Amino acid sequence: MSTAGASPAPAGFAAAGSAAPASATTAPANLSEDQTAALQEIANIGMGQAGDSIARIWKQFVALSVPRIALVESGRIPTLIHHFVGDARVSAARQAFHGAMRGEVLVVIGRGNRDQLGELMGYDGQLDLGEEQEMLLDIANVLGGACIGGIARQLGADVGFSAPSLIGTDLDSHAVVRPEELCVSTALCVEVCFTIESNQLSAHLIALMPREELVNLAQLLDRFLCNL
Amino acid sequence: MDENTDLKLLGFIVERLEVGILAIDPQFRVVLWNRFMETHSGRDLDSMRGQCLFESFPELPERWLRRKIESVFELGNYSFTSWEQRPYLFRFQHNRPITGGVDAMRQNCTFLPLRDASGVVRLVVLTLSDYTDTALIQQKLTAAMAVSDEERRKQRALLRRLQDAKAQLFQSEKLASIGQLAAGVAHEINNPVGFVTSNLGSLERYLIDLTTLIESYASHADQLPPAAAEAVRRQREKLDYDFIREDLGALIRESREGLDHIRRIILDLKDFTRVDQSGWQLADLEKAFDSTLNVVWNELKYKATIVKDYRHPPQVECIPGQINQVLMNLLVNAGHALGEKGEITLRTGPDPSEVTGAVAEVWVEVEDDGCGISVEHQKRIFDPFFTTKPVGQGTGLGLSVSYNIIRRHGGRIDVRSTVGVGTCFRLTLPVQRSEVADAVSESPDLAAEVTPEELLALEGPDGA
Ligand SMILES: Nc1ncnc2c1ncn2[C@@H]1O[C@H](COP(=O)(O)OP(=O)(O)OP(=O)(O)O)[C@@H](O)[C@H]1O
Ligand SMILES: [Mg+2]
């Protein structure tokens, strides 16, 4: 997968629900096969709903990739992001979510027509730097809220969000996350790519949950499976 | 506590919290407006209740804010604004009537969806926190950082100047010692050359006398007894006297030319080493070329054919010693570039007859058909200590010093080069000493601007 992103992930990949680039991942030790499959299913539905809501608020057609789920060694996260996003210059923001599920969402946005996008979000005329940053934060907030919110709702989990913060604009995709600032050793990674065709916007959402949190997630998934 | 007191307590908190709280329905009508909002907006709940937010506050960015609130109704998720990107949503006075510092209260806002039992979002609650103090601290921090950035930039500039100065010092010391040596040698040679020249004069006179004497003997040869006359004739033939007589003149003439040459070289050397008689004077760049060429001739004579293409431009106002130094650097570099054999062309211009009006600039070129300089290296050749030559042959200072000299003259130094074809350096100098040149050359020197402490700090334990 490179920058374009909206093309569906390879079938085997999505079905297995594990393993993105083989080198960057290990099997999700703390989630059983059933739990992983359920998570994949929930993510598929949640992201679909998210895409639908986003399409409604932005009144644009939004294409989504099949979410990819993998347990990742944190040292590999930068490589993984580069793998998802490709070589392009990007802008990025992060947002924390907490409650029954805890983690961070990274939203990485590639090239796009900023001014058109700004128009879409209700800005007038050409964007200044502050507006561009605000828009980036808003996109991160909307995507993060829709996706994590969608998953949480299906799991019947209560999740809150902190205000998003800026990582940077015009970054090298390797620089979105620096390994030295990571404080967990392994994380569950859920990746999905949104594309708004009319604005050539492509945004990758990468939700990361520390491995320790998987205990909670596993419980939620079990509850979900029981209620089926 | 019963439910009633709970509600009262909650109501009290909402009312009195030092945070702006308002709630709006899907038609953007206000349903809640707490004390903070009343105080800062000057409008009370009664006058706000049921009012459309955008009608009451036309200064709000309506299109954008509508979208934002709509998306909270639609998605049921939180949304935020931060003072860093959007200083405020409502223009309120800040909490610093005395100490000031900003134009209006800085605000962070949160948009909360409020769902009913069925999960539909009925209201959006907007909270507004005062971030003015944080913003002010940030402002100060940014200012402090700007100052320290500026300082660092200055330090870097200083360091570079120091490096340049060091390089220049090094090169001029090198040149000065070459100059001293040359001047010493010139002086030593001058004495013997002086007496050889005068002896040669005497010798020539004596030889003329001697030949005259021999001629006069010869004119009386017929008076000798035949045997003696025959012996003299044979002797004269054996020694090839006629040739000797002819050759003597040529020998003397050539020796005198040789001595002249030596004297010219000595003069050029003295001329050239006039580095420290550093006054601005009018100088003829072609003469400068010629005298410099004489100085470096020894290095060039076996491998270089020199082609001169002079157009006799007017004299330029310059510091001749320094210009000679530049020309020497270029000639030596060209010589090095040639390898075994090659051609060096010295060109000057413009041709005054082809110029209309006064000539403002004069140029000289040193072109070689040597190894050339790669494009990457072309960017670096003017850096101090950049050299591709083996230790002992190059220090990498020639061009950096030349560059500085030409810059101080208000001129330019340009290079054209193709690897494997050759290189041409062109100096362009204003005919008249320009104000720029004065400004550059008379800018306060290092010692005046850098204190010894600064120097020590910059140099560090093992030098900068
Ligand atoms: N005419 C030329 N042809 C090819 N290369 C050149 C020429 N002139 C300069 N250079 C390149 O530029 C470099 C820097 O030249 P510069 O005169 O500054 O230093 P240097 O000749 O190496 O040493 P120094 O002049 O201090 O003895 C040289 O090492 C050489 O690589
Ligand atoms: Mg040199």
Side-chain angles (χ1 to χ4, degrees):
Chain A
M1 286 283 278
S2 67
T3 41
S7 55
F13 179 92
S18 63
S23 66
T25 60
T26 56
N30 288 6
L31 289 187
S32 69
E33 224 166 84
D34 280 352
Q35 289 166 338
T36 309
L39 182 60
Q40 180 71 53
E41 189 57 34
I42 287 169
N44 290 352
I45 296 170
M47 298 300 177
Q49 288 173 347
D52 183 56
S53 326
I54 291 164
R56 246 176 307 142
I57 60 165
W58 286 342
K59 303 179 177 62
Q60 296 286 317
F61 178 71
V62 178
L64 277 168
S65 66
V66 175
R68 299 192 258 191
I69 301 175
L71 202 62
V72 182
E73 274 170 49
S74 66
R76 310 281 186 135
I77 291 175
T79 325
L80 197 65
I81 291 174
H82 178 246
H83 172 82
F84 289 146
V85 176
D87 281 325
R89 305 290 290 175
V90 297
S91 302
R94 76 163 70 77
Q95 184 174 32
F97 55 93
H98 41 77
M101 290 175 1
R102 218 178 115 245
E104 276 183 65
V105 168
L106 302 177
V107 173
V108 183
I109 297 182
R111 253 197 222 290
N113 187 328
R114 303 284 144 113
D115 290 335
Q116 255 185 52
L117 206 61
E119 170 64 28
L120 204 71
M121 300 193 64
Y123 291 96
D124 295 313
Q126 229 181 338
L127 298 180
D128 63 28
L129 182 67
E131 287 172 332
E132 187 175 335
Q133 292 180 351
E134 186 179 53
M135 180 171 81
L136 178 65
L137 291 173
D138 243 355
I139 293 175
N141 185 57
V142 164
L143 295 185
C147 297
I148 297 300
I151 291 175
R153 241 189 325 278
Q154 292 176 75
L155 288 172
D158 197 14
V159 172
F161 293 88
S162 312
S165 62
L166 198 69
I167 297 174
T169 50
D170 196 27
L171 297 170
D172 190 280
S173 65
H174 283 289
V176 172
V177 171
R178 277 170 301 151
E180 68 270 17
E181 58 185 16
L182 293 169
C183 60
V184 294
S185 58
T186 318
L188 183 73
C189 165
V190 180
E191 185 265 353
V192 65
C193 174
F194 293 82
T195 314
I196 301 182
E197 299 288 353
S198 60
N199 290 82
Q200 304 108 42
L201 169 79
S202 91
H204 289 263
L205 175 131
I206 299 149
L208 295 164
M209 272 178 271
R211 190 185 204 153
E212 301 83 82
E213 292 295 318
L214 291 191
V215 187
N216 289 339
L217 184 63
Q219 276 171 8
L220 289 169
L221 286 167
D222 284 340
R223 208 176 62 195
F224 176 82
L225 287 168
C226 283
N227 292 344
L228 277 182
Chain B
M1 280 199 289
D2 59 31
E3 204 167 297
N4 229 355
T5 31
D6 265 6
L7 271 178
K8 258 199 197 140
L9 185 61
L10 272 178
F12 177 81
I13 291 174
V14 167
E15 195 52 23
R16 292 304 181 91
L17 207 60
E18 263 308 291
V19 169
I21 301 176
L22 61 146
I24 29 195
D25 68 14
Q27 281 72 48
F28 302 98
R29 286 183 305 232
V30 174
V31 284
L32 180 85
W33 191 255
N34 79 342
R35 173 85 61 103
F36 182 99
M37 293 305 289
E38 287 184 337
T39 319
H40 286 95
S41 69
R43 297 178 209 200
D44 59 14
L45 174 61
D46 289 336
S47 71
M48 286 304 298
R49 202 197 310 266
Q51 296 293 314
C52 170
L53 189 64
F54 298 113
E55 274 163 27
S56 305
F57 293 89
E59 67 274 20
L60 286 173
E62 180 171 347
R63 216 158 71 83
W64 168 82
L65 191 55
R66 264 179 194 274
R67 284 281 160 91
K68 190 148 177 116
I69 295 173
E70 277 166 4
S71 86
V72 178
F73 276 112
E74 182 69 44
L75 297 178
N77 281 322
Y78 284 51
S79 191
F80 307 89
T81 70
S82 159
W83 65 270
E84 282 169 292
Q85 282 83 39
R86 182 176 297 275
Y88 50 79
L89 205 54
F90 289 89
R91 189 182 171 90
F92 290 164
Q93 281 191 325
H94 53 78
N95 57 352
R96 296 192 165 211
I98 311 297
T99 49
V102 283
D103 58 334
M105 180 196 290
R106 296 292 181 260
Q107 297 158 1
N108 271 12
C109 303
T110 307
F111 299 75
L112 306 153
L114 222 72
R115 296 170 193 276
D116 64 11
S118 65
V120 178
V121 181
R122 293 290 176 204
L123 295 174
V124 168
V125 175
L126 175 53
T127 67
L128 229 102
S129 316
D130 182 352
Y131 267 72
T132 310
D133 287 339
T134 313
L136 282 171
I137 290 170
Q138 179 101 344
Q139 232 170 45
K140 276 189 203 144
L141 257 163
T142 313
M145 246 147 75
V147 170
S148 81
D149 276 358
E150 171 65 14
E151 231 139 63
R152 247 204 313 272
R153 199 191 54 73
K154 272 196 199 142
Q155 264 180 11
R156 265 200 302 270
L158 211 62
L159 212 80
R160 268 221 14 216
R161 287 230 314 279
L162 216 98
Q163 242 172 19
D164 284 356
K166 229 173 161 180
Q168 195 146 0
L169 210 72
F170 195 79
Q171 166 95 355
S172 63
E173 261 170 16
K174 198 170 96 176
L175 268 172
S177 51
I178 294 174
Q180 264 169 17
L181 195 78
V185 171
H187 183 76
E188 287 303 316
I189 294 173
N190 229 358
N191 282 335
V193 166
F195 72 72
V196 170
T197 311
S198 91
N199 287 359
L200 195 69
S202 311
L203 208 61
E204 188 177 19
R205 269 199 320 281
Y206 293 165
L207 281 172
I208 292 170
D209 291 351
L210 279 176
T211 41
T212 318
L213 190 63
I214 291 170
E215 296 307 318
S216 84
Y217 276 121
S219 65
H220 296 99
D222 51 348
Q223 288 170 31
L224 287 176
E230 178 57 20
V232 169
R233 194 192 56 78
R234 240 184 284 134
Q235 186 68 14
R236 197 174 151 145
E237 239 162 47
K238 194 175 155 210
L239 293 175
D240 203 355
Y241 173 78
D242 291 333
F243 172 77
I244 290 178
R245 219 191 56 179
E246 252 168 53
D247 202 33
L248 268 178
L251 282 177
I252 299 271
R253 208 174 44 249
E254 280 166 20
S255 301
R256 178 163 296 123
E257 276 169 15
L259 283 170
D260 270 355
H261 194 180
I262 294 174
R263 217 181 352 229
R264 222 173 42 241
I265 291 176
I266 291 170
L267 277 179
D268 282 338
L269 255 178
K270 283 187 168 163
D271 202 38
F272 181 81
T273 53
R274 225 177 19 175
V275 184
D276 32 30
Q277 277 179 28
S278 60
W280 286 81
Q281 343 177 331
L282 275 177
D284 178 343
L285 293 183
E286 289 171 2
K287 280 218 185 87
F289 250 149
D290 291 342
S291 74
T292 306
L293 196 58
N294 271 329
V295 173
V296 295
W297 183 237
N298 201 37
E299 282 210 41
L300 299 178
K301 63 182 167 194
Y302 296 115
K303 52 179 170 185
T305 317
I306 304 289
V307 178
K308 291 183 187 175
D309 180 5
Y310 287 174
R311 293 181 177 74
H312 315 303
Q315 298 195 321
V316 296
E317 207 178 348
C318 65
I319 303 175
Q322 295 192 350
I323 297 299
N324 287 343
Q325 196 178 328
V326 174
L327 295 176
M328 182 177 82
N329 283 330
L330 297 184
L331 280 168
V332 170
N333 281 351
H336 284 160
L338 291 184
E340 297 277 278
K341 249 186 177 35
E343 196 172 273
I344 298 177
T345 307
L346 311 181
R347 228 173 268 122
T348 64
D351 186 338
S353 70
E354 284 168 6
V355 180
T356 54
V359 181
E361 284 183 332
V362 166
W363 52 264
V364 303
E365 283 182 354
V366 177
E367 180 165 3
D368 64 65
D369 56 0
C371 58
I373 311 171
S374 71
V375 178
E376 302 94 83
H377 282 174
Q378 281 182 35
K379 285 182 224 143
R380 301 174 53 201
I381 51 175
F382 296 106
D383 293 349
F385 300 109
F386 174 78
T387 181
T388 57
K389 296 171 189 173
V391 180
Q393 206 190 75
T395 39
L397 288 173
L399 286 178
S400 90
V401 168
S402 302
Y403 177 85
N404 281 327
I405 290 175
I406 297 304
R407 204 180 49 134
R408 277 202 303 269
H409 277 78
R412 296 189 302 281
I413 179 162
D414 301 301
V415 58
R416 273 198 323 270
S417 183
T418 311
V419 172
V421 177
T423 305
C424 177
F425 281 92
R426 174 187 271 230
L427 310 180
T428 311
L429 289 172
V431 168
Q432 264 177 344
R433 185 178 177 183
S434 68
E435 275 168 33
V436 192
D438 286 354
V440 181
S441 66
E442 279 159 27
S443 70
D445 67 6
L446 229 78
E449 261 190 81
V450 187
T451 67
E453 296 86 78
E454 277 178 311
L455 269 178
L456 280 177
L458 284 173
E459 288 264 347
D462 46 20

